[in-house]
Amino acid sequence: MFSYVRAQITMTTGPPNAQRTGQIPALWSAPSKNLLRPLLPYEDPPTEAELANHTPRSNSVDWIDDHLKSTCISPTDPSDEQIVALVKQRGYDDALIPLWDMFNHANGRYTNTRQTSVRDAEGVRVYASKEIRAGDEVFASYDRCADCEFVNLVWGTPEIFRDFGFVEPYPHRYHLEERIWFEIVEVDEKDGDKGNDGDGSGFRVLWDDGITWPDVDNYGNPDREGIEFLEREVTKFESALARMSEVPEEERGMVSQYISTVIFDYKLAIAAAERDLELEEEDEDSSDDDEEEDEVEEDEDEVEEGDYVDDDEYHEEEEEDDDEENENESGRDEL
């Protein structure tokens, strides 16, 4: 398969360096891979032996070395790696579509196209989803396309960086193992939206509330443990950022941009989650206060009602005493 693809690329794109090599993390240097392994999503966690030997592997950056070089590509020919990278970056699974597969990715307000399935009997068709003026760049969505199915729910900014080697423009999406799912979108202050809690950040954090994305598992807002998890993640990414001098200069800019972006986004999420949690606690306190006030009012009503009953009993007893005294006086008069 790959030899066929290589021949086609050579025939259709001219020089073999038409696209810069080494664009995806799987082709980066050992220092960059070492830094990124704990920072990128992976399917198979490191084995106990790898952890014990301090040589953990991750299919986020090691998939070419571990799975392809021993089976279907040359372990020493860089052009084979480039072929694999091109298929990964530009292909729709196993389909390469001339011209369309060279369009760049964007979501949100930048998206300006929609497409039919690449497996459509009539071939893929691309339509403008909004007005595209002369000179505007035409974008495709790599995770919200006709063939993406549920990819957009479990695939976000880290996965885009892992598989394509760039940090996507906003909106950014994160699907974390600790049952935390959120998206960060840009807001337009001209429309009166000043972001979360009017903080003027220019961004809004959206949680999977079951309304915005009804098909998501609905993790809801993070609780205190979720916030603490995000804080630990920020510390981990900040520690990695402090080690950027280990990364070769030609890769440092992209690695640094990814790490800095995640730190920024996680801090936005933490601040939003803290505010949401405070509001929930205030609502709970207010509800508890209302319940206590209701209980006090009920107790006062019971006391007042009890006092009234006791007063009646007192008057009844007083009347009985008066009757007895009158009977005694009547008896004395008869004597």
Side-chain angles (χ1 to χ4, degrees):
M1 169 185 172
F2 290 110
S3 60
Y4 169 76
V5 173
R6 176 165 53 186
Q8 294 302 305
I9 292 172
T10 303
M11 292 171 58
T12 57
T13 63
N17 61 348
Q19 177 164 311
R20 181 172 58 84
T21 60
Q23 286 190 333
I24 60 176
L27 297 181
W28 289 351
S29 64
S32 293
K33 290 182 179 180
N34 292 338
L35 195 69
L36 289 171
R37 278 190 188 94
L39 306 181
L40 287 174
Y42 53 80
E43 295 177 6
D44 302 317
T47 64
E48 293 184 6
E50 290 173 346
L51 292 174
N53 295 326
H54 302 285
T55 57
R57 308 291 288 176
S58 170
N59 58 8
S60 62
V61 294
D62 298 313
W63 58 275
I64 292 179
D65 293 336
D66 291 352
H67 301 295
L68 296 181
K69 286 188 175 180
S70 61
T71 55
C72 56
I73 68 171
S74 168
T76 58
D77 188 350
S79 63
D80 277 7
E81 293 182 338
Q82 175 68 349
I83 291 167
V84 172
L86 283 170
V87 174
K88 183 71 172 178
Q89 289 175 271
R90 297 301 181 183
Y92 288 80
D93 294 329
D94 57 353
L96 289 171
I97 305 170
L99 185 62
W100 177 238
D101 59 24
M102 297 183 69
F103 283 30
N104 288 326
H105 160 81
N107 283 323
R109 61 189 178 91
Y110 301 99
T111 305
N112 51 16
T113 63
R114 60 182 179 85
Q115 67 176 86
T116 61
S117 172
V118 298
R119 294 170 179 79
D120 193 295
E122 299 180 8
V124 64
R125 287 160 290 167
V126 181
Y127 303 92
S129 60
K130 62 173 66 173
E131 180 184 0
I132 302 176
R133 294 171 295 187
D136 288 350
E137 182 171 359
V138 178
F139 290 102
S141 175
Y142 293 177
D143 57 355
R144 298 187 182 185
C145 58
D147 298 288
C148 292
E149 297 181 343
F150 294 102
V151 167
N152 65 310
L153 300 181
V154 296
W155 214 56
T157 301
E159 289 78 11
I160 290 286
F161 178 77
R162 177 195 65 192
D163 293 346
F164 300 100
F166 64 86
V167 177
E168 65 177 334
Y170 286 94
H172 289 171
R173 188 184 309 108
Y174 296 88
H175 183 274
L176 306 180
E177 292 181 2
E178 296 297 315
R179 296 183 62 82
I180 297 175
W181 193 104
F182 63 93
E183 189 168 80
I184 297 179
V185 299
E186 292 177 296
V187 297
D188 191 348
E189 295 189 11
K190 295 179 181 178
D191 296 334
D193 192 340
K194 296 185 178 181
N196 287 92
D197 199 30
D199 58 8
S201 66
F203 298 93
R204 180 172 294 282
V205 179
L206 304 176
W207 309 106
D208 55 325
D209 50 16
I211 299 174
T212 310
W213 295 278
D215 295 326
V216 185
D217 289 342
N218 191 17
Y219 297 160
N221 296 19
D223 56 13
R224 182 60 58 188
E225 290 183 2
I227 293 173
E228 291 172 356
F229 166 78
L230 288 172
E231 290 173 339
R232 290 193 299 271
E233 288 293 291
V234 168
T235 299
K236 182 174 71 175
F237 275 79
E238 287 177 337
S239 298
L241 193 61
R243 296 168 49 200
M244 286 305 302
S245 59
E246 303 172 11
V247 176
E249 186 175 354
E250 63 271 16
E251 297 167 357
R252 193 176 303 162
M254 190 55 66
V255 175
S256 175
Q257 183 186 2
Y258 170 69
I259 295 175
S260 299
T261 297
V262 174
I263 292 172
F264 178 79
D265 289 348
Y266 280 13
K267 287 184 175 180
L268 281 178
I270 290 170
E274 289 277 11
R275 284 192 293 266
D276 293 341
L277 201 58
E278 288 174 3
L279 290 174
E280 289 177 8
E281 291 172 350
E282 289 176 4
D283 289 342
E284 289 177 0
D285 291 341
S286 176
S287 177
D288 291 341
D289 290 342
D290 291 341
E291 289 179 1
E292 289 178 2
E293 289 178 4
D294 292 340
E295 289 176 0
V296 169
E297 289 177 359
E298 288 176 2
D299 291 341
E300 289 176 352
D301 292 341
E302 290 176 1
V303 169
E304 291 176 1
E305 185 177 350
D307 288 346
Y308 177 75
V309 170
D310 290 342
D311 191 53
D312 283 348
E313 291 177 354
Y314 171 77
H315 287 298
E316 288 176 359
E317 291 175 358
E318 195 176 51
E319 289 176 357
E320 289 177 359
D321 292 340
D322 290 342
D323 291 340
E324 289 179 2
E325 188 174 340
N326 291 334
E327 289 177 359
N328 292 334
E329 288 180 358
S330 175
R332 282 195 296 270
D333 291 342
E334 290 177 357
L335 290 174

